[in-house]
Amino acid sequence: MYTRKLMLAASAAAFALTGAPAMAERGTDGDLKIIFWQAVSTMNPYLSGGTKEVYGASMVIEPLARYDETGNLVPMLATEIPTVENGGVSADLKSITWKLKPDLKWSDGSAVTAEDAIFTWKYCTAPDGGCAQGAYYEGVSNVEAVDASTIKVSFADAKPYPYSAFVGAQAPIIQAAQFKDCLGAKAPECTSANFGPIGTGPFVVKEFKPNDVVTFEANPNYRDAAKPAFATVTLKGGGDAASAARSVLETGEFDYAWNMQVEPEILEQMMSAGKGKIEVAFGTQVERIDLNPYGVDPSLGDARSTKEAGPHPALSDPAVRRALSIAIDREIIDEAGYGPNGQPTCNILPAPDIYVSTAVDWCLTQDIEGANKLLDDAGWVMGSDGVREKDGVKLSFLFQTSTNSVRQGTQALLKDMWSQIGVTVELRNISANVFFGGDPASPDTFQKFMADVQMYTNNFDGTDPEKYMAGWMCDKIPSPASGWQGENIVRYCNPEYDALVKQLGTTGKLEDRAAIAKQLNDMLSNDVAQIPLIHRGQPSAVNNTLVGVKMNAWDSELWNVADWSRAK
């Protein structure tokens, strides 16, 4: 029932995209009902790092290429994957040239051109734009139109793995005409475009209700006249993971439910109804804990959770951070919340296998005695109330996460484990719609991180980790100046780390790239930039009447929704 799809090696091979057999007629299968218990807040993935936004938008806006269910790179808007061998990648590795498929049209009927790609690059790199996917354009020095259908991406330095800009669900091409007035600080203000982007995908947005429901209809200008099979899609948001699972597995009300973060025994019971199944793919998802290195006291005002707030009075101490990690029994957390869909880890980079470090397993065995000694030696004295203190500062933290039964269960377990080393936490849960929404006006997003400790899952597109590891660079830290966007949620800043990322970007040999990626992982783990907990599978619920689903841990789970249909 549960299968792991772990890649043995990264691959940039060009494979032809193979879909389901051609359908007789577009829109003959009625309405496709999808439920995300974490509701979508925008249809623009450049303004939110949340997976729910990336997945929702992937049905509408597309990249030049993306990753299939096996992790192989496949063309989408491009005719083929450029390589050195076919002349698409320059011999000096400083440019990559993409060719658009002929006669590509936006859903409004206008032509897709190289100018749209140029604009997308400018959009994500505009000053004060707060692009959530900036790492995808790291090192790009120019994007130009060789002709209307040919896009040349140039890099400041040789780029042995050039598949970043315009590749994967997190870096789609947006229409220049629609977003032309949305550059820089104006980006969040373009509500109409952000809620209803004109795209090239199989569906177009009919109506968008943020944090609630998105309705789609088949794109009349989609490049395959026989697809999609479904005339409309209803993407319902809200509720909780268990009720979403029930709507597919027990009642059959919905066709597909994403992110079944539900206790394994409950899922087994639901599946006994015989109306659906759980499909799982293992990729790079890691449930992790962020420890804020900056001050978060509300009295700090606008400086709160930024560099201007100064170091956190307790969590800036390496001894505290390491003690919190080794006090955790990850086996218990895995057994209680994930079962066969997870495994304990100390790595922030858990796959593919070639990139998996074996040098940082120090966190896998709970060590309460060792954690207490660390804190004793660092001068944190146990108080009569069971809470440690040093220089008037208590080890008392606000611990936030999204609302979900597995996460609240994990919070309770962590609270008990940490109490054994003199640490107390106030537990807080926030609606996932808000927590992952990216609204710069909300104080409760995970990007703003207005707490001492927070917990969530993250991962990356594809099988090469370069752009993902770039997300911990100093210039990717969210701040008011960036509209609180940026991949470096944990605010890690280490010049040595930044230099190593840049070295990875200029390294070609796969084995050498793997060695550097492991070094980066080990640096994050040993500095306790974050506390990795569980390498998670991606379980989603699929109705037995839905065919064509190919679970994908390397891209959007909805990557091939154009091929989905109803069983006849």
Side-chain angles (χ1 to χ4, degrees), residues 160 354-355 464-465 500-501 503-520:
I354 192 171
Y355 297 113
D464 185 89
L500 203 53
V501 170
Q503 183 182 340
L504 176 61
T506 60
T507 299
K509 190 176 179 182
L510 183 59
E511 291 77 8
D512 294 339
R513 290 177 65 79
I516 294 172
K518 290 176 183 178
Q519 282 182 265
L520 291 167

Side-chain angles (χ1 to χ4, degrees), residues 360-443:
V360 287
D361 58 0
W362 53 265
C363 81
L364 289 179
T365 301
Q366 185 187 39
D367 187 0
I368 295 294
E369 182 180 349
N372 275 310
K373 185 176 188 308
L374 272 173
L375 296 174
D376 286 339
D377 292 347
W380 293 93
V381 179
M382 187 72 78
S384 59
D385 58 355
V387 180
R388 291 180 180 271
E389 183 177 345
K390 178 180 178 182
D391 299 330
V393 175
K394 285 182 173 289
L395 293 187
S396 177
F397 306 129
L398 174 62
F399 178 12
Q400 69 182 20
T401 190
S402 62
T403 305
N404 170 270
S405 62
V406 171
R407 288 204 167 116
Q408 272 67 78
T410 300
Q411 277 187 310
L413 289 170
L414 290 167
K415 181 182 177 77
D416 177 68
M417 294 169 190
W418 286 342
S419 71
Q420 298 173 52
I421 63 170
V423 175
T424 184
V425 291
E426 174 190 347
L427 302 181
R428 182 176 184 230
N429 66 83
I430 301 166
S431 166
N433 307 341
V434 175
F435 189 64
F436 297 113
D439 182 357
S442 172

Side-chain angles (χ1 to χ4, degrees), residues 296-319:
V296 293
D297 192 287
S299 66
L300 293 166
D302 292 343
R304 190 179 177 195
S305 199
T306 70
K307 186 177 181 180
E308 286 66 36
H312 192 286
L315 293 174
S316 58
D317 185 340

